Amino acid sequence: VPICSEWLQQRRLVPASCGKTLLLVKQKIGEALAQEKPPVAKLAEILPAEPTAEDLTYFDCVRVLEALREAGLAEKNFLGKYSNAYTAKWADVIRRYESGTVYLADTASFIIQQCTYELPALKSEMKRAEKELAELQRRQGEYTRLAHGASERFLEQCAKRFIEPCEGHEIEDRLRA
């Protein structure tokens, strides 16, 4: 976050206090996660099973608020505040993210995290999977070749003994007859 925040601060895209504000926002996210969730199906898709404030980004928070709005939990009172406490918490989180464009710093740090750690990890996992796939394809070819050889040997043995070739389940019946 520091390198990204410096860069954004030098260009005056985020305030110098964005680090403190971001910590406050993450604290508010933690408080919102601690509340009991309303029974909204989309929330289960957006929020992981055991979410932490560090796991969620600005865009996840926006999706949560949208899911709450779609579920009909976005009623406002005469002061313009959300009447549902859970929706009010998430709206407060979004408002704090958007004050001072703190979401830019959070999003930039998320992108840097993904590019620095997650992409290389996925690449190595993909290489490992490709090697495993090549090994499995090689073994499949070997087993296919062995099965074909066994089938040919079976037909040779049948011809040698003057037995008409048959399927595997018929062999026992023919031997008993």
Side-chain angles (χ1 to χ4, degrees), residues 10 16 24 32 34 37 40 49-50 55 69-70 72 80 88 104 108 113 129 139-140 143-144 146 154 159 166 176:
Q10 287 172 351
L24 181 64
K37 291 183 209 171
V40 178
E50 293 294 323
D55 295 339
R69 285 179 182 158
E70 288 174 7
L104 287 178
Q113 171 77 18
R139 287 168 60 189
Q140 181 184 17
Y143 293 146
T144 303
L146 289 172
F154 174 72
C166 58
R176 287 186 185 188

Side-chain angles (χ1 to χ4, degrees), residues 130-151:
E130 286 173 348
K131 282 182 183 178
E132 186 178 348
L133 177 65
E135 173 65 20
L136 291 173
Q137 286 174 338
R138 182 193 64 78
R139 287 168 60 189
Q140 181 184 17
E142 183 179 324
Y143 293 146
T144 303
R145 190 178 71 251
L146 289 172
H148 183 67
S151 176

Side-chain angles (χ1 to χ4, degrees), residues 37-45 64 67-73 86:
K37 291 183 209 171
V40 178
K42 267 192 163 178
L43 286 182
E45 296 171 14
V64 167
L68 292 170
R69 285 179 182 158
E70 288 174 7
L73 299 173
Y86 197 72

